[in-house]
Amino acid sequence: DYELCEEWEHLYPVPREDLINLHREHLLHLLEMGDMEKALQLLQRIEDPGICLAISEQSLDKHPNLAASHFLADYLTAHFYVNLTTARRNEIQALYMGSKVLLTLPELSRVNYFHLSSRPLLMLEQLLMNMKVDWVTVTVQTLHQLLAGQEIGFTVEDIDNLLSKYAEKALNFPFALKEKRS
């Protein structure tokens, strides 16, 4: 049905908003089906960059699944970086990093942290609080790699400060040791 609508679009004038809605729904359908190749082809077929940007941003704002969010954040950063405001750019890059971190976690555990996908630093803190040390190691390595040369609202120093804070808390003993008396 989407392809038929796309053919009609070439034959008859379609209002811009209807065109955006059509392509957005088609894109979301392809992404939900896991067909990233066809989704990319759809975006490449759209000749107007303004419409393509609107479709991509609106699709991302619909909070699709993890793989779709990762795909859209990557696409927007790669193709429309200069067209985005600094705040929106930081938001999209944070979502990209958060989704990348989520993809490194065991599949069954991803659902527990998906709501934090746009806040990777908070996700790291949650992993620390949940004592997921192995996952924290992979998360920190992933974030260090992704943060190289990026500005998204937090830095490697923020990660190090968070780790130091929780390391200090781990060494705090809430009770005083008593001396042994003979």
Side-chain angles (χ1 to χ4, degrees):
D1 290 345
Y2 292 119
E3 290 168 5
L4 179 62
C5 289
E6 202 173 323
E7 287 179 33
W8 273 88
E9 162 205 340
H10 294 295
L11 299 173
Y12 298 99
V14 177
R16 186 175 195 274
E17 281 306 309
D18 291 341
L19 195 59
I20 290 171
N21 290 338
L22 165 70
H23 287 304
R24 183 191 64 233
E25 293 305 316
H26 189 191
L27 179 64
L28 287 170
H29 171 73
L30 291 171
L31 292 172
E32 290 297 324
M33 299 297 290
D35 198 343
M36 305 304 174
E37 187 63 36
K38 281 191 178 180
L40 183 60
Q41 289 171 1
L42 170 66
L43 290 170
Q44 290 171 340
R45 279 196 308 269
I46 299 168
E47 295 171 5
D48 183 343
I51 290 177
C52 192
L53 174 61
I55 292 165
S56 303
E57 278 196 285
Q58 287 179 19
S59 297
L60 185 63
D61 291 340
K62 292 276 185 184
H63 305 289
N65 65 34
L66 176 61
S69 294
H70 186 71
F71 171 86
L72 289 166
D74 186 37
Y75 184 83
L76 281 164
T77 302
H79 293 88
F80 297 106
Y81 189 82
V82 296
N83 302 77
L84 302 169
T85 65
T86 303
R88 183 68 170 159
R89 193 179 306 143
N90 289 348
E91 178 186 325
I92 290 171
Q93 286 181 317
L95 181 63
Y96 174 79
M97 289 183 185
S99 61
K100 186 78 166 178
V101 166
L102 276 173
L103 289 170
T104 65
L105 299 181
E107 193 169 341
L108 295 175
S109 302
R110 292 175 188 164
V111 69
N112 298 329
Y113 301 96
F114 182 74
H115 66 286
L116 299 172
S117 60
S118 62
R119 307 205 38 214
L121 202 56
L122 192 57
M123 188 186 314
L124 174 62
E125 187 168 6
Q126 187 70 49
L127 290 170
L128 285 166
M129 289 191 299
N130 291 341
M131 306 285 289
K132 303 292 186 185
V133 179
D134 293 340
W135 299 356
V136 167
T137 304
V138 174
T139 299
V140 169
Q141 289 171 347
T142 303
L143 288 174
H144 275 260
Q145 290 171 356
L146 293 172
L147 279 171
Q150 299 285 327
E151 290 183 28
I152 67 157
F154 70 93
T155 63
V156 172
E157 288 78 30
D158 294 326
I159 294 170
D160 293 343
N161 290 338
L162 187 64
L163 293 172
S164 296
K165 174 181 157 186
Y166 278 89
E168 183 180 318
K169 286 184 178 196
L171 296 175
N172 261 346
F173 294 104
F175 57 90
L177 295 174
K178 293 183 181 180
E179 291 183 31
K180 283 190 175 181
R181 294 185 182 175
S182 54

